[in-house]
Amino acid sequence: MHVLVTGGAGYIGSHTCLALLEAGHAVTVLDNLCNSSTVALQRVQEIASKSLRFVQGDVRKPHDLALAFEAGIDAVIHFAALKAVSESCEEPLRYFDNNIAGTICLMQAMQGHGVHQLVFSSSATVYGQPDVVPVDETAPLRVSNPYGRSKLVMEDLIGDWCNAKPDVGAVLLRYFNPVGAHPSGRIGEDPRGTPNNLMPYVAQVAIGRRERLQVFGNDYPTPDGTGIRDYLHVVDLAEAHVKALDFASDASGCHILNLGTGRGTSVLELVHAFEQATGQPIPLDIVARRAGDVAEYWADPAKANACLGWHATRTIHDMCADTWRWQSLNPQGYAP
Ligand code: NAD
Ligand code: WQD
């Protein structure tokens, strides 16, 4: 298949492009590079010893989409989005325009080019504070910030499109907490500015770019008092996209799947796993809870296991070791 990957230069997109090339697919990336670098794509091609096609452009621009679709696209994986929760609270309209308007333009271009298979990056953020764990796909949806709102609206829009057009098949993937890097250490997560997320922050403390980790609260009702999440290795996640693409090719309608390991890990457990994997101490301070954080959640991935024949296989130790290999080989990320 020839797959259009929007946002393919980004963290999850670059790992997925590599998995697609390795699985024998042709790849066109459409990315405006607002949060990524072409170095990631150069390295993907070097690791795979295969080339991909890159169109620098914006999913909101019909001209850029037309260029991307020119190559004869069979299916789309749609990663392109802004993703910082706190920024979305300050600039909701920018998030709605980029994420929601971008997805509408993409669906219009797909329809115009007769492309009917879509795999979409959603997020466990749509569940907000869950009533029970593990969280399955029937759990109530409770978004609490504009980023989460944009994901929920995009899910609904894609669902409506599928309802109206029986030949459209879409898979909406709700990721839990993607972390880690390719085991080569050549591609990984390269956040701009101060990392919002735990794993890249820990890695930047270990490499000496940040002094100490702040642990946001140790008074949650969890065994060690710190927040619990379902961390998922980005290579497992990338492999799930390849399987979701195969699933979408044979399916019509809209299918929603959780992607996680089904296991929860606390902040302190992750820090200790990182220290073990790297031999590096992580100095830390316990500080107040971060507004909007939930105490604990992890996925019930049974539906994805059954529909895709996919299971996350990589451990927290793998996630930490691979993050550290990426961070130590690339102390400043993709910057020279
Ligand atoms: P990322 O920022 O590394 O990748 C997103 C890519 O999209 C970037 O390369 C960016 O330049 C590009 N992009 C953004 N807006 C664009 C536009 N209008 N036109 C073209 N390109 C555009 O983020 P990521 O972590 O790889 O996330 C990928 C997707 O997964 C996003 O949709 C995100 O919301 C979703 N997601 C991420 C996480 C996570 O923790 N990383 C969790 C759940 C869901
Ligand atoms: C994990 C745990 C923090 C940083 C976010 C988004 C979500 C999704 C994934 C896109 C929590 C604690 C963190 C730090 C800490 N993204 N922590 N010190 O909040 O589960 O999810 O990323 O869809 O929408 O909200 O991930 O990595 O930020 O936090 O103590 O410096 O680490 O309190 O318990 P989160 P995270």
Side-chain angles (χ1 to χ4, degrees):
M1 259 191 275
H2 192 150
V3 187
L4 172 62
V5 184
T6 74
Y11 170 47
I12 304 169
S14 55
H15 288 80
T16 301
C17 287
L18 177 56
L20 288 167
L21 291 174
E22 286 174 337
H25 296 291
V27 173
T28 288
V29 168
L30 174 65
D31 199 304
N32 65 3
L33 303 178
C34 70
N35 196 37
S36 54
S37 158
T38 53
V39 177
L41 294 177
Q42 285 161 20
R43 294 188 181 180
V44 163
Q45 294 174 92
E46 286 164 16
I47 300 167
S49 299
K50 287 182 182 169
S51 44
L52 54 72
R53 178 170 168 262
F54 174 56
V55 175
Q56 183 169 348
D58 196 298
V59 288
R60 291 165 295 179
K61 294 191 179 155
H63 173 261
D64 297 347
L65 284 162
L67 272 180
F69 277 94
E70 228 171 43
I73 299 298
D74 301 303
V76 176
I77 304 183
H78 181 33
F79 292 107
L82 301 174
K83 63 165 184 177
V85 170
S86 57
E87 190 182 62
S88 80
C89 297
E90 289 155 19
E91 297 182 78
L93 299 183
R94 186 156 81 88
Y95 272 64
F96 297 154
D97 178 47
N98 193 82
N99 295 1
I100 299 172
T103 299
I104 295 171
C105 292
L106 176 67
M107 289 189 288
Q108 286 167 336
M110 287 178 68
Q111 191 160 287
H113 289 84
V115 178
H116 300 131
Q117 267 69 48
L118 174 64
V119 176
F120 172 69
S121 298
S122 190
S123 169
T125 199
V126 297
Y127 297 118
Q129 173 80 54
D131 296 327
V132 288
V133 284
V135 182
D136 72 20
E137 293 82 356
T138 64
L141 302 176
R142 298 182 177 127
V143 295
S144 58
N145 56 69
Y147 166 71
R149 174 80 52 206
S150 78
K151 286 289 169 194
L152 198 50
V153 170
M154 291 184 280
E155 284 196 358
D156 288 344
L157 297 176
I158 295 166
D160 285 350
W161 185 41
C162 290
N163 287 338
K165 304 283 172 191
D167 48 356
V168 174
V171 185
L172 314 184
L173 299 175
R174 292 180 178 158
Y175 316 154
F176 279 65
N177 287 60
V179 297
H182 189 263
S184 64
R186 302 209 62 218
I187 55 172
E189 186 171 13
D190 183 19
R192 294 196 174 163
T194 308
N196 296 310
N197 297 115
L198 178 62
M199 183 70 101
Y201 203 105
V202 168
Q204 290 194 8
V205 171
I207 202 71
R209 282 173 66 180
R210 317 260 157 211
E211 278 193 11
R212 303 173 74 78
L213 172 70
Q214 297 195 320
V215 173
F216 298 139
N218 68 349
D219 56 352
Y220 285 106
T222 60
D224 67 19
T226 64
I228 293 180
R229 297 289 183 276
D230 186 339
Y231 298 98
L232 171 67
H233 197 296
V234 67
V235 176
D236 278 326
L237 182 57
E239 289 169 1
H241 285 75
V242 179
K243 297 205 165 186
L245 197 63
D246 293 339
F247 181 78
S249 330
D250 296 332
S252 66
C254 187
H255 304 266
I256 300 181
L257 304 175
N258 283 344
L259 293 182
T261 64
R263 284 181 299 278
T265 302
S266 75
V267 175
L268 291 180
E269 284 171 340
L270 184 142
V271 170
H272 294 145
F274 197 92
E275 290 177 330
Q276 273 184 353
T278 65
Q280 291 266 127
I282 303 295
L284 59 82
D285 300 309
I286 306 289
V287 301
R289 293 180 181 191
R290 182 172 65 178
D293 273 354
V294 304
E296 60 175 8
Y297 63 78
W298 58 91
D300 178 347
K303 192 175 169 195
N305 299 159
C307 291
L308 305 183
W310 167 89
H311 289 82
T313 58
R314 293 160 179 89
T315 64
I316 273 284
H317 184 275
D318 300 327
M319 300 177 211
C320 293
D322 291 337
T323 300
W324 180 234
R325 190 173 305 105
W326 152 253
Q327 186 71 76
S328 47
L329 289 173
N330 305 272
Q332 302 300 324
Y334 290 115

